[in-house]
Amino acid sequence: MNTVLLDMHCDENVALITINRPQALNALSSEVLEDLNNALAQVCANKDIYALIITGAGEKSFVAGADIAEMKDKNIDEAAAYGRLGNQIFTRVENFRCPVIAAVNGFALGGGCELAMACDIRIASSNARFAQPEAGLGITPGFGGTQRLARLIPVGVAKEMIYTCRQVKVEEALSLGLVNKVVEQEALMAEAIKMAKRIASNAPIAVANCKTAINKGLQTDIDSAINIEVKQFSECFASEDQKTAMNAFVNKEKVEKFANK
């Protein structure tokens, strides 16, 4: 992979993917998307990874959007294929088997904002900026921006951001619920790793089932969503981790490490 770095040992049970194109502010070219997809596949295959962090190289940019130079001459069919590729990969992030944390270290514009929104949790540095500037380039958001933004923040604010292309500073992003936490640049990765480790310390099967219940439940009505939750809840009782954790609780003991089975 030329444009993505993968650290499978960022911390115990935590992997780190870094978009590594700082000379282009980590813009998403087709090569970056393919490398990201490859990195995700490698993490997915490693059952000892219970949490994943995605960030951008350098201190200026998480991902400053798609590669405009590559995209500008596409025709309708080529644009559709590009949009499908981006959405396929970002949906893979959204539905990844373990929680994904975006460590947003600067600009998260266009595809960068869309990638961050596909993650479960967003921790941002104090210099982070969020925007969907596509309308100013004669297009719409193409990697899920019109859909995920309107699900994460008030619809009217999402429409304002998309129609005006304005950049949202990190303080406003926090107040809107677009990010979970804001820290200084130098503390960003430590904070992301800390949260990832806390997630990874819990029963991986239970955490994954929680994620499935939330994601699938948001796509349907409340009665159907409750049935999804019941299914995920009951399936946990087939796991060794459930027996270990509940027996430890009854015996006033602590589970040192879950078996993930």
Side-chain angles (χ1 to χ4, degrees):
M1 296 182 292
N2 296 320
T3 64
V4 169
L5 303 176
L6 173 59
D7 181 358
M8 207 75 83
H9 306 287
C10 172
D11 205 284
E12 187 177 9
N13 305 122
V14 177
L16 170 65
I17 290 175
T18 304
I19 310 299
N20 187 36
R21 216 180 157 215
Q23 74 282 2
L25 297 179
N26 303 317
L28 296 173
S29 63
S30 296
E31 183 180 17
V32 173
L33 290 171
E34 295 289 358
D35 283 352
L36 175 58
N37 202 31
N38 187 14
L40 290 169
Q42 291 183 54
V43 176
C44 190
N46 188 332
K47 301 307 179 185
D48 292 327
I49 299 299
Y50 304 158
L52 170 64
I53 300 168
I54 298 179
T55 193
E59 297 183 349
K60 291 183 178 180
S61 182
F62 173 68
V63 170
D67 190 322
I68 306 303
E70 177 186 326
M71 195 167 42
K72 66 182 179 65
D73 294 323
K74 291 185 183 297
N75 60 33
I76 290 176
D77 292 336
E78 291 166 341
Y82 185 62
R84 282 192 293 268
L85 175 64
N87 274 299
Q88 175 189 359
I89 296 167
F90 288 11
T91 299
R92 184 176 194 175
V93 171
E94 185 173 51
N95 296 323
F96 202 67
R97 63 168 181 78
C98 68
V100 183
I101 299 170
V104 183
N105 53 316
F107 292 117
L109 311 179
C113 188
E114 290 167 316
L115 175 57
M117 291 190 293
C119 297
D120 295 280
I121 295 166
R122 288 156 292 282
I123 302 175
S125 61
S126 54
N127 67 323
R129 299 290 185 272
F130 298 84
Q132 297 293 159
E134 289 88 349
L137 294 167
I139 58 173
T140 72
F143 294 169
T146 60
Q147 303 308 305
R148 291 192 179 94
L149 189 60
R151 285 166 167 80
L152 281 171
I153 69 175
V155 173
V157 182
K159 288 181 176 181
E160 177 201 342
M161 282 182 62
I162 292 170
Y163 299 167
T164 65
C165 305
R166 76 177 178 91
Q167 290 188 16
V168 169
K169 293 183 179 180
V170 74
E171 297 83 5
E172 183 181 358
L174 180 63
S175 70
L176 289 169
L178 185 53
V179 301
N180 298 74
K181 193 167 189 178
V182 177
V183 296
E184 293 302 316
Q185 176 87 46
E186 59 270 18
L188 178 62
M189 287 311 302
E191 189 63 35
I193 292 169
K194 178 182 176 182
M195 186 175 291
K197 287 173 66 176
R198 184 165 184 174
I199 291 169
S201 71
N202 293 309
I205 292 171
V207 172
N209 283 20
C210 288
K211 175 171 178 173
T212 298
I214 293 168
N215 284 5
K216 288 188 175 181
L218 285 171
Q219 305 304 316
T220 188
D221 62 272
I222 186 65
D223 292 331
S224 300
I226 291 298
N227 288 331
I228 292 169
E229 181 180 280
V230 169
K231 181 177 185 293
Q232 299 303 316
F233 167 73
S234 62
E235 286 179 355
C236 291
F237 286 79
S239 71
E240 180 181 313
D241 286 347
Q242 175 268 327
K243 304 294 187 292
T244 300
M246 288 194 171
N247 284 329
F249 180 85
V250 169
N251 295 321
K252 298 182 179 179
E253 298 171 348
K254 182 179 179 182
V255 178
E256 294 300 327
K257 189 173 180 62
F258 286 100
N260 192 24
K261 58 185 179 181

